Amino acid sequence: MTNAAASPTPVEAEPAVQARGLCRRYGRRWALVDVSFELPRGASVMLAGRNGSGKSTLLRLLATAIRPDRGEALVLGRDVQRERDAVRQTIALLSHASYLYEALTALENLQIAARFLGRDASRAALVPLLAEVELDGRADDAVQTFSAGMRKRLALARTLLQDAGLVLLDEPYGELDPPGFRLVDKLFATLKARGATVLMATHLLDRGAALCDLGLVLEQGRLRWQGQASLLPAQGGLDPASLPEGA
């Protein structure tokens, strides 16, 4: 009898993200034009492009924050338009805006997020998470006293708390100092160890290429290039010097 390798189930074989002909318009300007790609589950992907190329629009669309004008997208097998609530339970988005409660402390912000997610909201459970982003010493300070970099660190901690299947990072290195850069790298390693699929928009091409498996380049709303992330700095057609993170 021949022992054949077991075929993967449809769920196992299904990509983490399937985008088909995505288009999105703001007024008369098209931010995304016929964007199609697939991302395998567990992949880490760098999304590159100049300012205004459509990176943030694509991330917000996958996060169900906005709807496409045409085309469709599936996230972990669920349609971002018809199954928005289900999609939102499987994703985490780190955006330019922190969406933190300014008058509350760092710990209280995480406690609100933990209760919403049905997680342990005790101090004992959450202070170690703040320690991962080096904010445990500021756990009881109001967010309104934090610098922009500290707010980004707190938002990173909230992203880890969500334990999502798809994590969308929009210029995570923006507003951070060099130690903060290392925290993002550590976050990346943690997410990969969990088996999450990570899609990161960044202008730091060399850093992204070292962290990610795959790369995508958008130009004027169109998908210009896709391939191995290690090849993106050389083949993606972008000048790293012209791409300041957080601009």
Side-chain angles (χ1 to χ4, degrees), residues 109-179:
N109 269 273
L110 287 189
Q111 287 175 324
I112 289 174
R115 293 186 184 109
F116 179 78
L117 295 166
R119 306 284 172 78
D120 186 350
S122 68
R123 185 182 188 92
L126 297 178
V127 168
L129 190 57
L130 288 172
E132 288 193 45
V133 295
E134 300 178 3
L135 284 179
D136 49 318
R138 302 293 300 271
D140 299 312
D141 291 346
V143 170
Q144 62 192 6
T145 68
F146 285 8
S147 66
M150 292 170 65
R151 293 174 196 222
K152 176 63 72 68
R153 288 173 183 243
L154 181 55
L156 288 169
R158 186 180 57 197
T159 301
L160 282 173
L161 177 65
Q162 290 178 259
D163 196 17
L166 174 65
V167 180
L168 307 167
L169 305 175
D170 198 351
E171 295 185 16
Y173 296 101
E175 302 174 327
L176 291 175
D177 53 11

Side-chain angles (χ1 to χ4, degrees), residues 2-176:
T2 301
N3 291 326
S7 299
T9 66
V11 171
E12 291 173 333
E14 198 167 46
V17 177
Q18 297 168 278
R20 305 181 183 123
L22 288 177
C23 300
R24 172 68 188 190
R25 181 174 60 186
Y26 296 109
R28 300 180 65 181
R29 184 181 70 85
W30 288 96
L32 293 176
V33 183
D34 196 26
V35 172
S36 300
F37 61 89
E38 290 189 356
L39 304 181
R41 294 196 182 211
S44 53
V45 185
M46 171 170 53
L47 178 62
R50 295 178 177 83
N51 289 335
S53 62
K55 301 186 303 297
S56 294
T57 296
L58 178 58
L59 294 183
R60 294 182 66 211
L61 193 153
L62 295 176
T64 76
I66 58 176
R67 295 177 183 268
D69 290 295
R70 291 204 297 267
E72 65 176 0
L74 301 180
V75 170
L76 301 172
R78 298 186 181 276
D79 189 282
V80 298
Q81 297 189 80
R82 295 191 296 269
E83 302 173 273
R84 297 178 76 192
D85 290 341
V87 170
R88 288 173 178 175
Q89 293 175 15
T90 65
I91 62 170
L93 171 65
L94 178 72
S95 65
H96 290 288
S98 64
Y99 298 109
L100 298 169
Y101 296 99
E102 297 278 325
L104 301 183
T105 67
L107 178 61
E108 289 168 341
N109 269 273
L110 287 189
Q111 287 175 324
I112 289 174
R115 293 186 184 109
F116 179 78
L117 295 166
R119 306 284 172 78
D120 186 350
S122 68
R123 185 182 188 92
L126 297 178
V127 168
L129 190 57
L130 288 172
E132 288 193 45
V133 295
E134 300 178 3
L135 284 179
D136 49 318
R138 302 293 300 271
D140 299 312
D141 291 346
V143 170
Q144 62 192 6
T145 68
F146 285 8
S147 66
M150 292 170 65
R151 293 174 196 222
K152 176 63 72 68
R153 288 173 183 243
L154 181 55
L156 288 169
R158 186 180 57 197
T159 301
L160 282 173
L161 177 65
Q162 290 178 259
D163 196 17
L166 174 65
V167 180
L168 307 167
L169 305 175
D170 198 351
E171 295 185 16
Y173 296 101
E175 302 174 327
L176 291 175

Side-chain angles (χ1 to χ4, degrees), residues 220-243:
Q220 296 181 346
R222 298 179 183 273
L223 184 61
R224 169 178 175 166
W225 184 92
Q226 58 183 316
Q228 295 181 17
S230 60
L231 302 177
L232 193 155
Q235 298 183 5
L238 296 171
D239 177 9
S242 67
L243 302 172

